[in-house]
Amino acid sequence: MAVDVRWATTGDAAALATILCEMAVHYRQPPLDHERALSAAHKWLGEESPAYPHFALAFFDGEVSGLASVAIAHPGIDLERLMFLKDLFVRGGAHNEGVGRALIGFLAGHCLSQGIGRIDLTTEDWNEGALRFYARLGAERHDQKVFLRLSGEALKKVLARS
C-alpha cells in the first residue's frame, strides 16, 4: 500500500498530537499529556502561514504514520533559501514501510518546486537507525558546525544582559 504525504492542516490536529506524544517517548523525554499536545497542535496549525507549511504528515494504511517538522530559512551565503528539518519521526508500526523515504521525497519535491536549495538536519549521535537512514539517502555528514542551544535560564540571562 502506498504512503500518502501531505502538509498538515487544522483538520490534522489530532493526528499531529498523536505523533508528538510518541515522539516525546522516543526522544527520551517525559511523556506528553495528549490534551496538551492537541491544544498545541490546534494552535500551531491555525497560526502557521500557508506560504510556509511546517508539518508534513505521512499516512500508511489510513493511519498517521510519520511526521516531518520543518522551517524555511532565508538566504544563506549562497542566497538560496534552505529547509531545516527539525524532526523526522516514523511510528514503530510503520518502520520499514517506506514512510521516512516518502516524507523526505515529499520535502525534496517541495524544495525543488519552490527554489529551496537544500535540506539541513541534525540527529542525535545515539540514533544509529537515523544515521544509517540518512546515509542511505546520500546525506553528507558535516562536522564544521556545532549544535548549540539557548533555553530556560540562558534565555532569561540573555534578556537581562541586553
Side-chain angles (χ1 to χ4, degrees):
M1 180 162 269
V3 178
D4 175 44
V5 180
R6 67 175 186 261
W7 291 116
T9 66
T10 54
D12 294 314
L16 178 57
T18 296
I19 291 281
L20 293 172
C21 289
E22 289 188 27
M23 278 178 52
V25 173
H26 172 77
Y27 288 118
R28 304 174 181 176
Q29 300 299 310
L32 290 176
D33 173 71
H34 191 270
E35 289 304 312
R36 182 172 169 241
L38 182 60
S39 176
H42 276 293
K43 180 179 181 206
W44 295 336
L45 294 174
E47 291 178 352
E48 302 298 342
S49 164
Y52 295 105
H54 295 280
F55 299 101
L57 293 177
F59 295 84
F60 181 72
D61 278 345
E63 299 235 356
V64 64
S65 301
L67 159 82
S69 173
V70 303
I72 307 298
H74 286 278
I77 57 173
D78 57 4
L79 298 180
E80 284 191 334
R81 293 178 298 159
L82 70 92
M83 176 181 283
F84 179 72
L85 176 58
K86 168 63 176 84
D87 286 300
L88 180 77
F89 179 75
V90 176
R91 295 175 79 183
H95 286 181
N96 300 313
E97 298 294 345
V99 173
R101 186 173 291 276
L103 281 162
I104 294 292
F106 177 82
L107 298 177
H110 180 77
C111 287
L112 292 171
S113 72
Q114 300 299 310
I116 297 169
R118 68 182 195 255
I119 298 174
D120 284 350
L121 58 108
T122 63
T123 191
E124 286 74 14
D125 58 0
W126 54 262
N127 195 339
E128 295 294 328
L131 290 168
R132 285 190 306 272
F133 172 73
Y134 292 123
R136 282 193 308 271
L137 293 177
E140 303 167 10
R141 195 166 182 156
H142 284 253
D143 293 328
Q144 72 263 28
K145 298 217 179 207
V146 176
F147 177 74
L148 303 168
R149 178 176 293 153
L150 291 169
S151 63
E153 289 302 313
L155 288 176
K156 293 174 187 173
K157 287 179 183 176
V158 169
L159 177 62
R161 293 179 183 158
S162 59

